[in-house]
Amino acid sequence: MAASTAQRVSSIFRPGLFKNKVAVVTGGGTGIGKAISQELLHLGCKVMIASRNKEVLASTVQQLREQIQPGNTAEIAHIQCNIRKEDEVKNLISGTLAQFGSIDFLINNAGGQYQSPASQINTKGWNAVIETNLTGTFICCREAFNQWMKDHGGAIVNIILVTFRGIPTMSHSGAARAGVDNLTKSLAIEWAQNGVRVNSVAPGRSIYTESAAAIPGYDKVFAEAIPANPAKRLGTVEEISAATCFLLSPAASFISGVTLKVDAAGGLYSTSWDIPHHNKIPAYKWSEESDTENTKSKL
C-alpha cells in the first residue's frame, strides 16, 4: 500500500501523549492488537508487536509504518513470539529493551479459543487454550516485570473477555480469562511498590474484528449479538483501543487492579445461551413429594 493511500488513524487523546514511551503489544498483527498498535503509534509511542506468524507481523509493520505522519517520532518493529514458550517471551522482552531501551507499557492481547460445548473439549484443546490465554499472559507479565518494570515502573493492560456470567461454548477461554482477571488483581497489589499498574480490558463478544469474521459460523455469533446488546450494534476495535490507551495514560494514574468491561452493558442485558424447558433439577423438600411441576405451580 502506498503511503499516499495509507489508512488515516485518529485518536480521542492528544497528539504526542505517549511520545518517547515504549510499548510491547502481543497479538499485535491483527484485530484488536493491531488497532491498539495503530493508536499508540499515532500518539507517538515506540511499539514492538509480537505474534506467532512472522509473515503477518512483517506485513502489519510495513502497513503501520506507512501510517506514521511526518514529525511523529513513533517507531514500530516486530519479534516473532509464541507466548506459550518461555524462551521466546524472554527474547521478546530482552529484544525490545535492546532495540528501544525501555518498556513503559505491556499490552497482553495475544490469545485464542474456539467454540465447542464443554463436553466435547478434549484435554489437548483445553490445555492449549489455558496455556495461551492464562499461562502465556503470566509469563509476559513476569518477564516484563523482572527484566525492566521492577526497577522502572510501568503499566500493563491485559485484554480478556467478559466472563462474570460464564461463556457457554467457550468454557476453556472463560476459565482462562477469569484467571487473568484474578491475576490482574493479584499483580496490582504485589507490584504497586514497584510503580507498576495492572488493569484489564474485557471486550464483549459483540466486538467486530476481521479475524473473527473469517471464522466459519462466526457470522451467526455477530448476528445474534446485535439484538442481545443494549447498543443494538457491534462494537469496534477502536473502542477497545481507546479504553486501553486510557488505562495506560496519566488519566488512569490512580486506577489499578480493575477490569474495564467494554460491552455496552451487554453482559447485564441477556445471555446467548438458550435453556429449553426441562425437569431435570428437582426441588429439595422435607416431604416425599418432589415433583418439580407441582412445586413450581405452588410458588
Side-chain angles (χ1 to χ4, degrees):
M1 180 172 59
S4 61
T5 60
Q7 177 185 353
R8 181 179 180 274
V9 180
S10 186
S11 175
I12 193 68
F13 303 100
R14 66 169 175 83
L17 176 64
F18 294 139
K19 183 178 180 180
N20 298 323
K21 298 294 187 181
V22 176
V24 174
V25 182
T26 66
T30 60
I32 290 172
K34 180 179 178 181
I36 293 171
S37 300
Q38 286 177 297
E39 187 160 12
L40 289 173
L41 288 167
H42 178 74
L43 297 173
C45 197
K46 295 177 173 62
V47 180
M48 180 69 75
I49 64 172
S51 79
R52 292 181 298 175
N53 192 315
K54 190 173 183 178
E55 289 71 27
V56 169
L57 282 174
S59 175
T60 297
V61 164
Q62 179 180 356
Q63 179 186 355
L64 299 193
R65 187 172 287 140
E66 292 173 346
Q67 295 175 2
I68 299 174
Q69 297 298 308
N72 186 344
T73 58
E75 299 178 42
I76 184 168
H78 72 278
I79 293 177
Q80 185 178 18
C81 177
N82 181 344
I83 63 171
R84 294 169 61 184
K85 297 184 178 181
E86 196 168 17
D87 290 344
E88 293 190 17
V89 174
K90 289 181 177 180
N91 178 66
L92 169 63
I93 301 303
S94 63
T96 301
L97 292 172
Q99 180 149 354
F100 293 136
S102 65
I103 298 175
D104 300 283
F105 309 140
L106 169 66
I107 298 90
N108 287 307
N109 171 73
Q113 56 271 317
Y114 56 91
Q115 288 192 290
S116 174
S119 59
Q120 296 177 24
I121 298 175
N122 59 34
T123 304
K124 181 179 179 181
W126 175 272
N127 288 339
V129 172
I130 297 296
E131 288 172 7
T132 300
N133 296 334
L134 177 56
T135 307
T137 297
F138 165 72
I139 296 171
C140 289
C141 288
R142 186 195 66 195
E143 288 307 310
F145 179 80
N146 286 341
Q147 292 192 43
W148 184 260
M149 291 185 179
K150 180 179 180 180
D151 297 319
H152 303 89
I156 298 172
V157 174
N158 301 314
I159 308 300
I160 58 173
L161 294 171
V162 177
T163 62
F164 75 105
R165 294 181 67 176
I167 309 181
T169 73
M170 291 200 300
S171 58
H172 43 19
S173 187
R177 309 292 189 161
V180 175
D181 175 79
N182 195 274
L183 177 67
T184 296
K185 295 176 173 63
S186 300
L187 298 184
I189 299 300
E190 288 193 30
W191 295 350
Q193 64 184 7
N194 302 94
V196 180
R197 294 187 300 106
V198 188
N199 293 292
S200 291
V201 170
R205 293 184 70 179
S206 57
I207 304 299
Y208 179 86
T209 66
E210 292 181 358
S211 55
I215 300 174
Y218 217 82
D219 55 341
K220 181 181 179 182
V221 174
F222 285 143
E224 293 174 347
I226 294 174
N229 191 291
K232 301 304 178 184
R233 66 168 175 84
L234 298 177
T236 69
V237 292
E238 289 87 351
E239 288 168 320
I240 306 305
S241 177
T244 301
C245 288
F246 163 71
L247 290 174
L248 295 173
S249 77
S253 60
F254 206 57
I255 300 175
S256 193
V258 307
T259 293
L260 176 59
K261 291 181 287 185
V262 185
D263 69 342
L268 301 174
Y269 184 59
S270 65
T271 177
S272 60
W273 186 262
D274 180 57
I275 301 176
H277 178 74
H278 67 90
N279 61 356
K280 300 296 180 64
I281 306 178
Y284 167 72
K285 298 184 64 178
W286 287 344
S287 67
E288 294 182 358
E289 181 185 4
S290 61
D291 183 84
T292 301
E293 287 301 315
N294 289 339
T295 302
K296 183 177 179 180
S297 66
K298 296 175 182 177
L299 295 179

